[in-house]
Amino acid sequence: MRELSERIREFIDDGAAPIKVEEVIAQGSGLRSAPRRGWSTPAKVSMASVAAVAVVLAIVLPLTVWNTTAGRSTSPAPTGAPRWRLVSSQSSPFRALPAGGQADLQCVTDLVCYSPGYGSTDATDFYRTTDGGDSWHQTAPIPLHLQGGQLLFSCADAATCAVIGTAQNPGEMAEIAYTSDGGVQWTESPVPGPSGLANPYVGRMSCADGPHCVISVSSNAAGASPTTPPTGTFLSTADGGRTWTQASAMPPGANGDMWTMTCSSDGSCIALSVMGANPHWVVALRTQDWGMTWTAGPPADYNDAPILYASCGDASDCMLVPLAGPSGAPYEIATTSDAGSTWRVSGPPSGWENMPTAVGCAPEGDCWVAMSEYDVHSPAGAYSDPVIEATHDGGLTWSALAVPLAKPPIADVLTLSCPPSGDGCMGIGNLQDHFVLPPKGSTGRPAPLSGPLVISNLPTSPSPGA
Amino acid sequence: MDPTHRHEFEEFVARAEPPLRRALVAAYGFERGREATASALGWAWEHWRRLDRVENKVAYLFRVGQSASRRRKTPLLFVRDASSDPWCEPELGRALDALTERQRTAVVLVHGFEWTLREVAELTGTRISTVQSHLERGLRTLRTIMEVNDHA
């Protein structure tokens, strides 16, 4: 039998044909995205520029903080603000989350959160906590098949969730499992393929107000270029997935690939997408009737800036973190509080770390941004000194809270889920040692020293209305 | 873009496309990996002046491709459509599917294409020891699965 290395080499190279430069130039990127994390020279150059500007401002202006043109400032957290606490480094769902992995976590109240299980042999493992992450319990088995191990879910409240699985029968686009009792029982239903789309697949799902769910659908038309933006539509259900209705039409120019989608209990939803070919404009698609009719807001104030993160706390308030724009900063913060009609765009406040790693938003302009210092040459690891900044006014002002002390130190926080209460978030991050290698010569398996850690600044007792 | 820059870009694609495609295919499978490579190179073409300042362009574009691919929820997997040539390595595809994204990337690049641990660490933004851990775990899993299949 041939060497495994040779088989791997031929397998990979035979499976995906080389991409010609003509193909690249003809098609462009069709892309609105950018590095999720980790760049080298531009970040340093840009941060140096930002630092130089900050020094000049500090000399010229009698300011102790750097105010951007948007009037934003950063300051220590107010006295009495909830601190981040280390919940666990061995929580069941995340124990086998790969180092550097982002968890699909959703907290629906201060105490109740849901997450898929990671690293298990059964990709349909699904977990629930009712005590703010101190303990996690597996729900009843989800009656779905999954291909590729990517579980897509959305929970409307503490008891109601929907999970999308792979289609099993002709004519279906997917299957959905729905629970209204916190995962004790699941009901399975097919999700039909929408009309007019070739090879449709589910992009995003948002559920609110019990059995109401809206899903965005994209299309990979057969024969289309890989860089051709997909077209799409929306499907809506009002009965936990038993019946579905297709949106009347997409706004002209919008494609079906959504960065994020959030619905509120009054039937309003917002989906962040892009329009145009080159440059690409971020736009908010809005509906007031559970996804039946959609309108597109005006493009954001910047264009062609690749998006690192996007999060909407409700159908009006969203935050984007685009990669470097005209300001020269390594990344920017863009916020809207009017469902995308206007966007406030500015560079990060002075002193922020050079690498944002996660964004989470709650309703009414409450957002949290996790960031770390990124230096690929640091002996302590590429990511260090994480901080989580919070805003409660849509990005006008910020306050910072340090993450908990741990040994070894926390490297980064890659997931933030912030329930509608606005009290805070639960986060999933990594310590600076994800694994310890076995002694040299040992054939033993590398033992995980510290699993991905769970942190939280949510109250440990229910807040009124949470 | 002026002709000089176009020539630079063509040379860059000739040099960078194979490692970038292999890395993204390793992470996301044939279809999504190739699509992510095309998107990343397209982004490079559109932002060539900005990219010119980047030290490790392949690593940077790997993250561009990651971001483009992660936005989609389509299954990854090493599958081929029925019209393609007969597949001589179905069990290798299934075995690679069983690995995590990071394990697959480490196994394919280090074991299959002789990248160094440092090169993969710089590509993925992780430490060398982490890459080594992913490599060892991935290879162990891969060999276990394939040996089981070979003997079945």
Side-chain angles (χ1 to χ4, degrees):
Chain A
M1 180 178 284
R2 291 178 301 143
E3 285 291 326
L4 180 60
S5 57
E6 185 184 350
R7 294 169 65 187
I8 291 174
R9 192 161 53 243
E10 289 185 4
F11 179 78
I12 294 294
D13 276 351
D14 286 353
I19 295 162
K20 308 288 186 194
V21 69
E22 294 78 13
E23 180 183 344
V24 172
I25 292 173
Q27 298 294 339
S29 67
L31 186 65
R32 288 70 59 186
S33 55
R36 184 180 67 84
R37 47 186 288 176
W39 65 84
S40 50
T41 305
K44 291 173 182 171
V45 169
S46 298
M47 285 308 290
S49 305
V50 172
V53 170
V55 167
V56 171
L57 285 175
I59 294 170
V60 174
L61 302 174
L63 296 177
T64 55
V65 294
W66 181 38
N67 289 300
T68 68
T69 53
R72 188 193 307 126
S73 63
T74 187
S75 62
T79 304
R83 295 186 176 279
W84 289 94
R85 62 190 174 91
L86 182 59
V87 178
S88 168
S89 62
Q90 289 295 321
S91 294
S92 306
F94 317 108
R95 199 172 290 155
L97 182 69
Q102 290 178 299
D104 281 334
L105 170 72
Q106 187 186 0
C107 291
V108 286
T109 72
D110 291 353
L111 299 176
V112 179
C113 304
Y114 289 88
S115 174
Y118 292 90
S120 61
T121 52
D122 187 347
T124 58
D125 285 355
F126 198 55
Y127 288 85
R128 178 179 192 244
T129 180
T130 56
D131 55 13
D134 289 335
S135 61
W136 293 83
H137 304 283
Q138 201 166 341
T139 68
I142 300 174
L144 294 177
H145 300 277
L146 291 178
Q147 189 179 19
Q150 297 181 81
L151 191 153
L152 175 65
F153 75 97
S154 177
C155 298
D157 52 49
T160 310
C161 290
V163 180
I164 294 289
T166 307
Q168 295 300 306
N169 300 300
E172 295 176 1
M173 177 179 61
E175 293 194 344
I176 187 170
Y178 174 78
T179 180
S180 57
D181 54 14
V184 177
Q185 292 182 307
W186 295 91
T187 305
E188 181 190 2
S189 306
V191 182
S195 60
L197 285 183
N199 300 323
Y201 62 91
V202 178
R204 304 291 171 194
M205 174 168 65
S206 181
C207 299
D209 192 34
H212 288 276
C213 294
V214 177
I215 60 178
S216 69
V217 182
S218 299
S219 168
N220 273 333
S225 159
T227 56
T228 301
T231 56
T233 188
F234 294 89
L235 294 179
S236 179
T237 179
D239 53 14
R242 283 196 292 273
T243 58
W244 293 88
T245 308
Q246 186 172 348
S248 53
M250 289 283 279
N255 69 51
D257 237 354
M258 304 299 155
W259 264 106
T260 184
M261 183 171 68
T262 299
C263 292
S264 299
S265 56
D266 63 356
S268 58
C269 305
I270 187 169
L272 298 185
S273 183
V274 294
M275 297 178 84
N278 189 9
H280 315 106
W281 301 87
V282 174
V283 294
L285 308 182
R286 296 169 292 184
T287 177
Q288 302 292 333
D289 54 8
W290 292 111
M292 291 297 92
T293 54
W294 292 81
T295 56
D301 284 347
Y302 57 93
N303 68 82
D304 218 17
I307 307 300
L308 292 171
Y309 305 101
S311 179
C312 295
D314 55 35
S316 298
D317 297 274
C318 298
M319 177 170 286
L320 295 173
V321 181
L323 188 68
S327 72
Y331 57 95
E332 293 183 332
I333 305 292
T335 53
T336 181
S337 57
D338 55 13
S341 293
T342 58
W343 290 87
R344 181 190 304 118
V345 183
S346 58
S350 173
W352 279 29
E353 307 282 18
N354 68 351
M355 181 60 67
T357 54
V359 171
C361 289
E364 300 179 3
D366 292 335
C367 288
W368 288 258
V369 179
M371 62 197 74
S372 288
E373 180 65 24
Y374 176 75
D375 179 2
V376 73
H377 300 297
S378 169
Y383 295 85
S384 61
D385 301 323
V387 171
I388 298 176
E389 297 271 356
T391 180
H392 301 287
D393 53 16
L396 279 172
T397 59
W398 293 85
S399 58
L401 275 175
V403 300
L405 292 175
K407 192 175 180 180
I410 297 174
D412 51 27
V413 176
L414 299 179
T415 301
L416 284 174
S417 180
C418 313
S421 67
D423 291 334
C425 310
M426 182 177 289
I428 312 296
N430 295 282
L431 298 172
Q432 284 186 353
D433 65 335
H434 306 303
F435 298 97
V436 172
L437 293 176
K440 200 166 185 179
S442 165
T443 56
R445 173 181 179 173
L449 180 68
S450 48
L453 73 158
V454 180
I455 64 172
S456 174
N457 70 339
L458 291 165
T460 51
S461 57
S463 63
Chain B
M1 185 177 284
D2 65 41
T4 307
H5 286 143
R6 171 156 180 154
H7 183 64
E8 284 175 9
F9 182 74
E10 288 174 348
E11 287 186 343
F12 167 73
V13 170
R15 200 169 54 249
E17 189 272 344
L20 181 65
R21 169 170 42 85
R22 287 161 183 162
L24 287 167
V25 167
Y28 299 115
F30 295 134
E31 185 180 346
R32 273 179 63 185
R34 191 179 187 280
E35 180 180 337
T37 309
S39 294
L41 289 173
W43 191 90
W45 167 248
E46 292 166 0
H47 302 81
W48 183 240
R49 287 178 186 278
R50 180 187 296 177
L51 194 66
D52 194 39
R53 295 180 294 161
V54 175
E55 202 173 286
N56 188 338
K57 294 182 175 59
V58 171
Y60 188 93
L61 292 176
F62 181 72
R63 290 167 178 77
V64 173
Q66 277 186 315
S67 182
S69 183
R70 281 180 178 151
R71 201 154 46 90
R72 296 197 169 189
K73 293 284 185 180
T74 43
L76 30 122
L77 305 182
F78 293 96
V79 295
R80 293 183 171 186
D81 62 46
S83 62
S84 62
D85 294 335
W87 195 6
C88 62
E89 291 277 14
E91 72 196 29
L92 181 56
R94 281 194 292 271
L96 285 170
D97 283 344
L99 308 185
T100 67
E101 178 186 320
R102 301 272 180 136
Q103 288 173 347
R104 226 174 14 246
T105 305
V107 166
V108 168
L109 296 181
V110 176
H111 198 67
F113 290 96
E114 299 177 344
W115 287 37
T116 65
L117 294 176
R118 176 177 295 281
E119 287 170 331
V120 177
E122 290 184 356
L123 180 88
T124 55
T126 51
R127 287 184 296 163
I128 291 174
S129 59
T130 304
V131 176
Q132 186 168 355
S133 170
H134 289 315
L135 176 66
E136 290 178 359
R137 287 177 170 214
L139 271 178
R140 195 174 302 131
T141 304
L142 198 67
R143 285 185 166 129
T144 300
I145 294 173
M146 296 188 70
E147 192 170 339
V148 168
N149 289 344
D150 281 349
H151 294 167

